[in-house]
Amino acid sequence: MPAEVEQITPLQALERQRRGALLIDVREDDERAGGMPEGAAGIARAALGQRIGELAGLRDRPLLTICATGHRSMLAASALRQLGYAHVASVSGGFRRWQADGLPVAAGAFDADAADRYSRHLLLPEVGAAGQIRLGKARVALIGAGGLGSPAALYLAAAGVGTLTLVDDDKVEKSNLQRQVLHADARIGMLKTESAAISLSGLNPRVRVEVRSERLRAANVEALIRGHDVVIDGADNFPTRYLLDAASRQLGLPLVYGAVHRFTGQVSVFDPRRADSPCYRCLFPEPPAAEDAPNCTQAGVLGVLPGIIGLLQASEAIKLVLGIGNPLVGRLLCIDALAATFRELRLPRDPSCPGCGSTAVFGGYEDVQQICAR
Ligand SMILES: [Zn+2]
């Protein structure tokens, strides 16, 4: 069958293209992301049968196929002929020879660095070039560059989230390093935001890190998170939770919640854009009384645990940006590291919730006292 397909050189293809032939680059999305012949249409070979119809009125238009080296384009051309396209030729030597011959190349959706760096994302149909572009345009606010924020920030930066805003006013301490892997022994005493920016830029220089070295308060919460696509609560304290909960509702921003205690942790997503989504106060209507609150300064935690929870938060944030999968909305995922169990609790919206219930009244932001048992 392939023997029936006419083979032409890249230069002949260019000439035919100029006379009206349509050149189709049948390589995969991630391969084309680094660039393709100028004027070519990019349709992966597997999708050709399905998508060629989109280019209506092509029955009589000469078609040319090109791949990396000339093998897949032969198969593609053969398939097109079977679909009834009479004038089809394959470019021998493929894009490699096209480039070697110095013929015009259009930049792909990504430069070579991005195409290479994100190739494992580009291979996933659920992400692909469109999803990677979406990630690149995304703005994620990360409150806290500590135990939860460290893994979340590292993986979000690695994934190519375009802008990461880090909000934290603490400095790196030695006792942080057992779990806050964004930082380094040599950076003890440095602002966590600045230390984090060094690690994140080192991992992925394409990511823009915006540093906000201030404590989240009633007075600045809206200004700090406005304009983002997703907010991750990595602060793991009650004042921040109630502030972020209120602001996420006011601004309509999805909030990824995470908490850790000793060997256990929990994760959920509160998405005020969804009518069925609970909010943090559906779970904890009011801040705890002093006698019920954990002793926060000395509460121990297995160092790995915030790693697990922070990564689940990052995973949820990426899903929200891409609009894929099933977010943890209305579900509370509880993890027990000692038992090695993941338990999912249903977390329905509470109609009488003081935050999102039908009679709830927003009376402005309030700085909740940091409550500690001791
Ligand atoms: Zn609620």
Side-chain angles (χ1 to χ4, degrees), residues 100-139:
D101 289 352
L103 302 183
V105 170
F110 302 101
D111 57 28
D113 174 89
D116 200 9
R117 183 180 301 272
Y118 304 128
S119 64
R120 297 303 188 277
H121 269 171
L122 297 170
L123 286 168
L124 294 170
E126 294 82 354
V127 183
Q132 195 63 48
I133 290 169
R134 228 167 153 165
L135 283 171
K137 289 180 179 164
R139 294 174 53 88

Side-chain angles (χ1 to χ4, degrees), residues 158-176:
V161 166
T163 305
L164 271 178
T165 303
L166 302 179
V167 181
D168 199 310
D169 70 336
D170 278 344
K171 289 181 175 161
V172 179
E173 295 175 22
K174 189 167 281 180
S175 64
N176 299 153

